Amino acid sequence: MTSHDRPSVQVISAHSGDFVWRAGGALALYAERGHDVRIVCLSYGERGESPGLWRRPGMTVDAAKAARRDEAEAAAAALGASVTFLDLGDYPLRIDDDALSRIVAEMRDAAPEVLLTHVAHDPYNRDHDAAHEATLLARQVAQAAGHDPSTPPIGAPQVLQFEPHQPEQCGFVPNLLLDITPVFERKRKAMECMGAQSHLVQYYTDLGLRRGVQAVRNGGDRSIVQAEAYQRVFPVVGDVLR
């Protein structure tokens, strides 16, 4: 169990590749800042998220899981994060009470300052919706003083939704553009670990460039080249109008 001697960032990822494409820069950035960065992969994405693997003759679900696990572990290491796999299956991802309890336990162990996860509504991939709902429900349960008195409840971490593949169809309206320029090479290295979805490397490199341009146009430093977009779930608390 963690001693909570370092601030923590935790990502709840529906499949074993999602955290790389959509939040790899944030994870690398916070790892470099000394945070305890943790990834929870609800599934390996073995059925629906591994097109490169299923082109191989004789591929099986178990072999796809093993390959995806290896890829995700290498990507997490490149980002400076740890990764846990719950192996809940994909297409569809089903999260029952036992699975929810496992997510709550991971959340209590991490005691994150911030949670990263999917958007609430992705009509192209309902696994992402399930991960979003599970994150919010697990956060609620993990805050309850009466849940598992042997572990302390968490506080009120912000939940940041990372950018979906087709944001316009998902109601995604970013209100945070995160500069990941200093760690982009680490993100790219992590993306290149994901051989089962190698077609996405260039897509997310180009997306980061576009978000970097937008970050500069929204008042960011002109040195910004690569950025990731996020949408907060909860209000930001402060003492200034900004």
Side-chain angles (χ1 to χ4, degrees):
M1 301 290 284
T2 181
S3 63
H4 300 160
D5 56 349
R6 290 190 293 157
S8 176
V9 172
Q10 189 171 44
V11 57
I12 309 297
S13 183
H15 313 106
S16 63
D18 295 328
F19 72 90
V20 182
W21 316 115
R22 299 180 172 98
L27 301 182
L29 190 67
Y30 275 81
E32 286 203 352
R33 291 174 178 173
H35 285 58
D36 180 12
V37 178
R38 302 189 184 193
I39 302 155
V40 178
C41 291
L42 302 184
S43 81
Y44 293 109
E46 63 273 11
R47 294 187 183 89
E49 302 277 299
S50 306
L53 297 177
W54 287 103
R55 296 189 190 102
R56 301 177 187 174
M59 181 54 58
T60 66
V61 168
D62 285 344
K65 286 182 179 182
R68 292 289 279 175
R69 184 184 184 105
D70 289 346
E71 290 178 356
E73 288 179 338
L79 297 172
S82 63
V83 60
T84 299
F85 303 94
L86 300 192
D87 191 14
L88 302 179
D90 71 317
Y91 285 59
L93 170 63
R94 302 294 191 197
I95 302 172
D96 59 17
D97 289 348
D98 178 66
L100 181 68
S101 293
R102 294 168 67 190
I103 299 169
V104 171
E106 292 291 335
M107 210 172 278
R108 281 208 165 180
D109 190 46
E113 290 190 344
V114 64
L115 286 160
L116 309 178
T117 196
H118 299 267
V119 294
H121 178 67
D122 185 342
Y124 297 100
N125 195 319
R126 311 306 282 185
D127 287 5
H128 296 166
D129 300 35
H132 174 94
E133 176 59 25
T135 299
L136 293 189
L137 185 53
R139 178 184 183 273
Q140 173 188 328
V141 175
Q143 289 177 305
H147 174 80
D148 184 13
S150 68
T151 61
I154 66 171
Q158 178 62 268
V159 177
L160 292 172
Q161 301 167 94
F162 41 63
E163 184 162 10
H165 197 66
Q166 298 193 49
E168 299 86 354
Q169 303 301 116
C170 301
F172 180 74
V173 182
N175 49 27
L176 171 63
L177 295 172
L178 183 71
D179 177 15
I180 63 166
T181 306
V183 295
F184 179 72
E185 287 308 312
R186 291 185 66 176
K187 178 176 181 176
R188 186 171 184 90
K189 181 178 179 181
M191 291 194 294
E192 290 172 347
C193 293
M194 309 306 294
Q197 294 176 291
S198 58
H199 62 288
L200 293 177
V201 174
Q202 192 59 51
Y203 179 92
Y204 280 98
T205 299
D206 293 344
L207 177 60
L209 289 171
R210 292 195 297 275
R211 290 306 190 186
V213 170
Q214 293 166 5
V216 173
R217 289 180 63 85
N218 280 276
D221 191 90
R222 298 189 70 85
S223 65
I224 297 174
V225 176
Q226 282 277 342
E228 288 174 344
Y230 295 88
Q231 182 177 351
R232 299 180 181 92
V233 172
F234 300 104
V236 173
V237 179
D239 58 1
V240 296
L241 290 172
R242 182 176 179 182

